[in-house]
Amino acid sequence: MSIRTLDDLLGEGVSGRRVLVRADLNVPLDKQTGDITDDGRIRAVLPTLGALVGAGAKVVVCSHLGRPKGSPDPAFSLRPVAGRLGELLGADVRFAEDTVGDSARSTVDGLADGQVALLENLRFNKGETSKDEAERGAFADQLAAFGDAYVDDAFGAVHRKHASVYDVPARLPHVAGRLVLREVEVLSRLTGEPERPYVVVLGGSKVSDKLAVIEALLPTVDRLLIGGGMCFTFLKAQGLEVGTSLLEKEMVETCRNLMERAPGKIMLPVDVVAADAFAPDAAHDTVRVDGIPSHRLGVDIGPETVAGFAAALSQAKTIFWNGPMGVFEMAPFAHGTRGVAEAITKADAFSVVGGGDSAAAVRALGLDESSFGHISTGGGASLEYLEGKTLPGIAALEN
């Protein structure tokens, strides 16, 4: 890639200059209290922000949070994020009550060298996500007015053709932040010549969500381990009954074709945890995949499957994992995800956790993040990168 980096910008000097940083601060909030339940994405941008603050820049941070409908919604305010970001930076973070309005302008104008401001949720403005280029461009013009230079450190958003990701870089000198650079370097190792055996673990609910990445990876991986809700469509393709488990009937034939194209490469569960209902207190048992009761649904992979997956992972030299193995948010059904995650940490391999629910599971289960080679901040972005798609945010930095 021909992308200028944060170090290039710092080398030119940023003291007294306004630097607009697109971060991915889309953190989960407790619906009752509004408290941040996982600050991993805030921590991920600290190296870039800390370097800019230390160099005396006037730092203007912008981000989205959730999916508001193009207008202000208190449930999606970034105000709690401003408080947590300030705690982690060890400095006051000034919060603008709007994105490009009077509050934003006065907040940015009032910054001294080495100070940080956070603008309100970008998606409170329709122009951020608009498919109309003029509308998106007009919003990008307003955002770009807050910076003398632009840093993209929001890897979790680089697959979106949004104003702050795609259009602003065309209006300002632009560089990749440390997080984006690290993400691209890591994923390039997986798409180039990964050390073998190369084992990929895919979970999550739907085959349709992962079909493109399966198609892209199947010719290049040595083993593909499939768990989570998506495994039941593959099991159905083998002629097995799956009870009331999640099933995409329209994908059964596709799954059958995938297995026929790569015989022996796709590894499926041999046992699962089957429950009476989708609830943590539901009656449940471990059963063989050819004996799932008609009234029960699969909620996790079973212990024999965990052992088999662990054995395959123990031989790997490169591992990519995206998607939980079961309903890890419910303690009785978290054993499969924990078992596979722990097997990844024990393998003598370069391991990448593909963001999203997988990264959330690592933190929710209290696993040591440093025992993984890399934990991506972008689930969708990492999958699209591995699919070989052009990511708008990366393309904008290359221009």
Side-chain angles (χ1 to χ4, degrees), residues 23 201 229 236 285 354:
V201 186
K236 184 71 173 179
D285 293 294

Side-chain angles (χ1 to χ4, degrees), residues 368-383:
D368 180 7
E369 295 182 44
S370 67
S371 58
F372 297 90
H374 178 70
I375 299 179
S376 178
T377 55
S382 63
L383 289 181

